[in-house]
Amino acid sequence: MVDGMVDSLPNMRKIIHCDADCFFAAIEMRDDPSLRGIPMAVGGNPSRRGVISTCNYEARVFGVHSALASAYAKKLCPQLVIIPHNMAKYRLAAQQLKEIFYDYTELVEPLSLDEAFLDVSSSQDYRGSATLIAKDIRRRVESEIGITVSAGISSNKFVAKVASDWDKPNGLTVVEPSKIKGFLHQLPVKCIPGVGKKMQATLQNLDIHQCADILPIDKLELIRQFGKFGNRLYHFARGEDARVVSPIRERKTVSVEQTLDQDILPKESEKVLTVIYQKLLHRINGLSTNKQFSKVFVKIKFGDFSKTTVEITINKLDFECCKKLLYQGWERQKKPIRLLGIGVRLQPDMGLEDGYRQLNLFTTVKESLVL
Ligand SMILES: [Mg+2]
C-alpha cells in the first residue's frame, strides 16, 4: 500500500506496531546457519516437561506453536530441533531493538521483548511519513540485529496491531483510516483484545463470528449483554480505539515460577522455593527504581493442573513468610505440586512523582476514552 491519509492528515495519529518474527528462533537461526530452513524451536527439554517458546515458520507447517508441550511438538514433527533458551542473548537483541525505536520517537510502548507500539505522529523523520519510518526501522533491524520485524501502521493501536500480523513474516501493512472498515470486516472477533476463548464461545452462540457481525447491533444492546466490554466491542469492531501509546509502564508485580521435573510434596519443594526466592530477590534488586512492596504471594499449580494463590500484606520480604504461604496453599488441596511460583506486588513508585502523575493521567485518558 502507498502512503495515504495516515501520512497526510495533520491531526491524525500515526501508530506503528512492530513485532519481530519468531523472535527467539530468529536469533538462534541468525547465530547458527545450520538451523535455517529446517523445523526448529526454542523451548524446554521434551523429557522434562518443557514447553515451546517460539518456533520458526518451517516448524509451524507441522502444527507446532508456542506454549505447546515440547514432547507433543516432537510427536507432531519428529525432526524438530529444540534449542534451549538463551535469554541473555534475546534480552540484548531486545535492547538493540528498543534503541532503534527510540531513534524515531520517545513514545514507545513495549508490549513484550520483541513487540512495541510507536506513536510517530510528531516525528520529524522522513517528513513524518509513518510508512517510511517503518520501512527504515525494518531495514535497520535486519542489518543491525540480523532478524526481521513485521510492522503495521494505522491511526490507532488496535488496527496497527492487527495490521502487523497481516503479512507476517517480514511484512509491512498500512491501513489508511478510510480503509479501516473494509480491513476489519472479516476479522474474527477473537482478534479484538480481551476476547478470550470464553467470550468467543458466547459470541459464537449469538452468531457473532467476525467484526462485521457486531456492526448491526445497537451499542446499548451490547452494553446490556456484556457490560463495559460491550462498549469496547462496539468501538473496536468499527476500528475505533482511542488508547494512547503510553511509554511509561508501571510494573505491578515481580514474580518467578518454576515447573518441577516431577510432582512433589511441600517438604521436598522447600528446596525449589529457596532457589526461586533467590531469583526473586535478584529480580527485585534489578528494578530500576526503589519500590515498596504491598504483598507477597505464593502460587501453586497441583498435579491435576488446579491452581491456588496465597498472599499476605507485607512491607519486608522474608523467606520464612514465603514458606508459611507455601504450606497454607498446599493445605487447601493437599495434592502433589507441579509448579511453584513466588512474587511480590509493588506499590506505586512515590519516588518518581512526575512519572507517576503522568501515568495516572494516561490511565485516566485510557479509561475515559475506551471503556
Ligand atoms: Mg514477535
Side-chain angles (χ1 to χ4, degrees):
M1 272 185 252
V2 289
D3 293 14
M5 284 164 75
V6 175
D7 294 324
S8 57
L9 286 186
N11 293 323
M12 184 65 64
R13 287 194 300 159
K14 298 173 202 170
I15 313 288
I16 305 176
H17 178 255
C18 287
D19 183 9
D21 304 313
C22 57
F23 184 53
F24 296 174
I27 300 281
E28 298 300 341
M29 288 190 288
R30 174 195 72 182
D31 296 349
D32 180 356
S34 76
L35 296 171
R36 296 177 198 163
I38 59 165
M40 64 84 58
V42 173
N45 191 329
S47 57
R48 303 185 76 189
R49 287 182 169 173
V51 172
I52 300 292
S53 295
T54 323
C55 64
N56 67 2
Y57 285 80
E58 284 83 352
R60 290 181 200 192
V61 175
F62 291 85
V64 178
H65 57 81
S66 54
L68 205 64
S70 300
Y72 186 63
K74 273 284 211 188
K75 262 189 205 151
L76 292 176
C77 175
Q79 70 271 43
L80 182 71
V81 178
I82 303 178
I83 306 287
H85 296 92
N86 193 335
M87 283 314 290
K89 228 161 62 168
Y90 312 146
R91 267 194 216 106
L92 176 66
Q95 191 52 40
Q96 292 173 302
L97 202 55
K98 248 188 271 170
E99 274 160 27
I100 292 180
F101 297 157
Y102 284 122
D103 278 346
Y104 303 87
T105 175
E106 284 301 305
L107 296 177
V108 176
E109 179 183 332
L111 299 178
S112 64
L113 275 183
D114 72 314
E115 205 185 321
F117 284 114
L118 284 72
D119 185 334
V120 297
S121 310
S122 315
S123 179
Q124 297 304 311
D125 301 285
Y126 295 101
R127 289 204 213 143
S129 161
T131 310
L132 294 180
I133 291 174
K135 278 186 181 162
D136 200 47
I137 290 174
R138 283 168 28 79
R139 182 191 60 76
R140 282 185 60 193
V141 171
E142 198 158 358
S143 77
E144 293 170 28
I145 310 178
I147 58 169
T148 59
V149 286
S150 295
I153 304 175
S154 196
S155 50
N156 67 57
K157 286 164 91 170
F158 170 50
V159 182
K161 187 160 160 72
V162 175
S164 76
D165 214 32
W166 206 250
D167 194 19
K168 245 181 176 311
N170 202 8
L172 169 65
T173 304
V174 185
V175 185
E176 298 162 22
S178 62
K179 305 268 170 63
I180 288 178
K181 211 175 153 196
F183 178 71
L184 295 181
H185 207 72
Q186 294 194 322
L187 189 79
V189 283
K190 67 168 186 219
C191 297
I192 294 177
V195 176
K197 284 224 168 83
K198 230 176 166 179
M199 177 65 83
Q200 208 188 332
T202 312
L203 292 168
Q204 211 143 40
N205 284 337
L206 297 166
D207 219 20
I208 298 171
H209 310 277
Q210 300 170 342
C211 284
D213 300 327
I214 298 175
L215 301 181
I217 309 173
D218 191 65
K219 188 177 185 175
L220 287 177
E221 177 58 23
L222 284 168
I223 293 173
R224 195 187 61 78
Q225 292 244 17
F226 302 106
K228 256 163 99 180
F229 197 72
N231 194 32
R232 172 175 280 222
L233 286 175
Y234 179 88
H235 287 288
F236 276 41
R238 285 165 174 73
E240 296 164 4
D241 173 12
R243 290 175 303 164
V244 295
V245 172
S246 30
I248 300 165
R249 308 200 102 212
E250 182 82 347
R251 193 152 191 187
K252 296 199 178 96
T253 62
V254 184
S255 63
V256 183
E257 57 181 49
Q258 190 169 333
T259 303
L260 308 164
D261 292 340
Q262 48 182 301
D263 298 344
I264 51 175
L265 290 170
K267 186 81 201 136
E268 306 161 87
S269 66
E270 279 182 35
K271 224 194 266 166
V272 180
L273 190 72
T274 316
V275 175
I276 58 176
Y277 180 79
Q278 286 306 324
K279 276 193 191 162
L280 179 69
L281 289 184
H282 187 73
R283 289 217 184 146
I284 292 169
N285 288 335
L287 289 179
S288 52
T289 47
N290 199 11
K291 303 266 182 186
Q292 299 286 313
F293 308 131
S294 64
K295 281 181 172 152
V296 60
F297 62 90
V298 166
K299 172 181 149 187
I300 301 172
K301 196 193 267 179
F302 296 102
D304 60 357
F305 286 89
S306 58
K307 282 181 251 180
T308 190
T309 301
V310 207
E311 59 177 30
I312 53 157
T313 304
I314 48 149
N315 44 33
K316 204 177 149 283
L317 191 60
D318 78 282
F319 182 73
E320 280 315 304
C321 159
C322 297
K323 211 164 95 181
K324 251 187 239 158
L325 291 180
L326 164 67
Y327 279 89
Q328 259 179 42
W330 183 77
E331 283 286 329
R332 289 178 181 172
Q333 302 222 13
K334 296 192 175 157
K335 287 179 211 151
I337 299 169
R338 178 188 168 85
L339 173 148
L340 197 57
I342 171 176
V344 287
R345 303 198 195 286
L346 304 168
Q347 281 179 358
D349 197 335
M350 296 311 191
L352 268 177
E353 223 193 312
D354 275 338
Y356 183 53
R357 224 183 285 132
Q358 209 173 351
L359 175 84
N360 273 343
L361 175 73
F362 281 133
T363 317
T364 316
V365 171
K366 261 193 212 168
E367 280 169 1
S368 61
L369 291 180
V370 178
L371 292 175

